Amino acid sequence: MSDDLGFTFRARKNGEVKINHNGRLATTLRGDAASDFIEEMSDCAFIDQQQVMARITGNYKRGNERLAKSHPRNS
């Protein structure tokens, strides 16, 4: 499995942080959330950065997809 999950980020002069997934805007962080994010990114390795951005955007697998497929509600 590749360490690259397709996330990138860019800090802007106005303090915003834009997080992209596969070239498309996934979310924008502002204020304290943006500054906390930048601080966390400076201490992380690449794979950890990818995981953090996946959690922030909600774009990650939770491990229960197989169970959910067989749930009666989804039949």
Side-chain angles (χ1 to χ4, degrees):
M1 187 170 106
S2 174
D3 291 343
D4 188 1
L5 300 178
F7 289 99
T8 58
F9 72 93
R10 171 173 249 160
R12 303 194 47 161
K13 288 181 184 179
N14 65 2
E16 291 181 341
V17 175
K18 304 277 187 177
I19 299 176
N20 294 313
H21 183 245
N22 294 326
R24 298 183 72 186
L25 182 64
T27 193
T28 302
L29 302 175
R30 295 178 180 90
D32 291 339
S35 60
D36 291 345
F37 175 80
I38 292 297
E39 184 178 325
E40 185 172 0
M41 289 295 108
S42 66
D43 297 334
C44 289
F46 177 76
I47 185 61
D48 296 327
Q49 289 179 346
Q50 293 290 302
Q51 292 294 324
V52 168
M53 288 185 278
R55 283 195 305 273
I56 288 172
T57 61
N59 190 351
Y60 62 97
K61 294 191 183 261
R62 292 156 188 86
N64 63 355
E65 289 82 8
R66 193 168 290 158
L67 296 173
K69 187 182 351 178
S70 62
H71 191 277
R73 172 186 65 227
N74 298 326
S75 297

